[in-house]
């Protein structure tokens, strides 16, 4: 197995940090996070594909919050696990 380039490792860790940052906002600043998403979807200046689908998902906030938090738990396990593997491959 070849050693991944340092640039790849940095980029990979950067995107992991973005995911973890959003996860932090979801878990600890839920009201602000929810409102930011809702505002971005209801902004008429920015056309999003599937806007109606996502707005419908946001209507039941408690269910949306539960689904997002469950999915984020899976994501945290996956992201941290793969981060460890990438760093080990680079160092090893």
């Amino acid at each position: 197995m070849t050693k991944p380039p340092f640039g790849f490792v940095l980029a990979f860790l950067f995107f992991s940090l973005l995911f973890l940052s959003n996860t932090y906002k979801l878990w600890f600043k839920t009201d602000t996070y929810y409102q930011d998403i809702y505002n971005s979807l209801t902004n008429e200046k920015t056309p999003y594909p599937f806007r109606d689908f996502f707005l419908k998902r946001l209507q039941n906030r408690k269910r949306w919050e539960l689904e997002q938090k469950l999915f984020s738990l899976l994501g945290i396990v996956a992201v941290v696990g793969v981060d460890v593997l990438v760093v080990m491959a680079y160092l090893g």
Side-chain angles (χ1 to χ4, degrees):
M1 188 154 122
T2 62
K3 182 176 168 179
F6 183 68
F8 171 79
V9 174
L10 280 179
F12 197 87
L13 292 176
F14 173 74
F15 285 112
S16 296
L17 185 63
L18 285 175
F19 172 80
L20 294 174
S21 171
N22 282 334
T23 301
Y24 171 80
K25 290 177 194 173
L26 172 66
W27 280 87
F28 300 107
K29 298 182 178 183
T30 307
D31 293 332
T32 305
Y33 186 68
Y34 176 84
Q35 197 60 48
D36 288 346
I37 292 173
Y38 184 81
N39 290 344
S40 70
L41 286 171
T42 55
N43 183 358
E44 293 296 326
K45 296 177 185 171
T46 312
Y48 287 113
F50 307 109
R51 176 193 312 227
D52 294 334
F53 171 78
F54 291 113
L55 280 173
K56 186 176 179 188
R57 304 286 300 167
L58 288 171
Q59 284 177 351
N60 186 345
R61 179 172 171 173
K62 291 295 181 190
R63 180 176 174 171
W64 172 85
E65 198 173 314
L66 177 67
E67 290 172 351
Q68 294 301 307
K69 288 184 178 182
L70 288 174
F71 184 72
S72 74
L73 285 176
L74 276 146
I76 289 170
V77 170
V79 166
V80 171
V82 174
D83 284 346
V84 168
L85 291 175
V86 167
V87 171
M88 283 176 44
Y90 178 75
L91 295 176

